[in-house]
Amino acid sequence: MREKRIVTAKDISHTPHGRLTRVAGIVIGRQRPDTKSGVVFVTLEDETGATNVIVWRDVGDRQRRELFNARLMAVYGRVEREGEVVHVIAGRLVDMTPMLGTLPTKSRDFH
């Protein structure tokens, strides 16, 4: 059964490893470590907390505009768990910034 709703950061912490999911939130940070892997780590925040998103190079290359310009982002992906650490591996990024209206936001970007 496919998940049809956007889940919160609180919900994602209880989502099983490997489950397809959708998350959304205000982009509060982007990090691109100085490695050749091309991975970008994105942190989204919603009303319940923060969600860590991993964007691998192939998705980042295809969706560069969404990755680096979105202030409000939805992510379709798969949950990955390592102990207490939970990430969403991005499969698709959606820029939802127009929904913010005039709300000012700023992310901390390190790249």
Side-chain angles (χ1 to χ4, degrees):
M1 183 170 144
R2 275 182 82 166
E3 189 69 34
K4 296 197 183 217
R5 65 184 179 97
I6 292 177
V7 300
T8 65
K10 183 178 177 182
D11 293 336
I12 209 72
S13 67
H14 303 292
T15 304
H17 178 81
R19 169 89 40 99
L20 290 174
T21 192
R22 298 182 202 186
V23 295
I26 293 174
V27 178
I28 62 170
R30 294 177 184 90
Q31 284 186 278
R32 177 184 269 178
D34 206 15
T35 66
K36 295 183 184 204
S37 68
V39 67
V40 177
F41 299 100
V42 178
T43 305
L44 303 178
E45 186 173 51
D46 66 21
E47 67 277 9
T48 67
T51 301
N52 298 312
V53 177
I54 297 174
V55 182
W56 291 111
R57 173 177 273 164
D58 62 330
V59 174
D61 287 348
R62 282 193 322 268
Q63 296 200 268
R64 187 171 181 80
R65 181 177 299 148
E66 291 84 355
L67 177 58
F68 291 110
N69 293 333
R71 294 185 299 128
L72 178 65
M73 182 187 295
V75 177
Y76 295 71
R78 192 170 299 275
V79 173
E80 183 176 272
R81 298 181 148 284
E82 286 187 32
E84 295 294 315
V85 178
V86 180
H87 299 295
V88 174
I89 306 298
R92 183 172 149 229
L93 309 173
V94 179
D95 184 352
M96 299 176 68
T97 302
M99 294 181 74
L100 289 174
T102 60
L103 180 70
T105 64
K106 180 138 177 69
S107 67
R108 295 183 52 165
D109 297 340
F110 304 96
H111 32 181

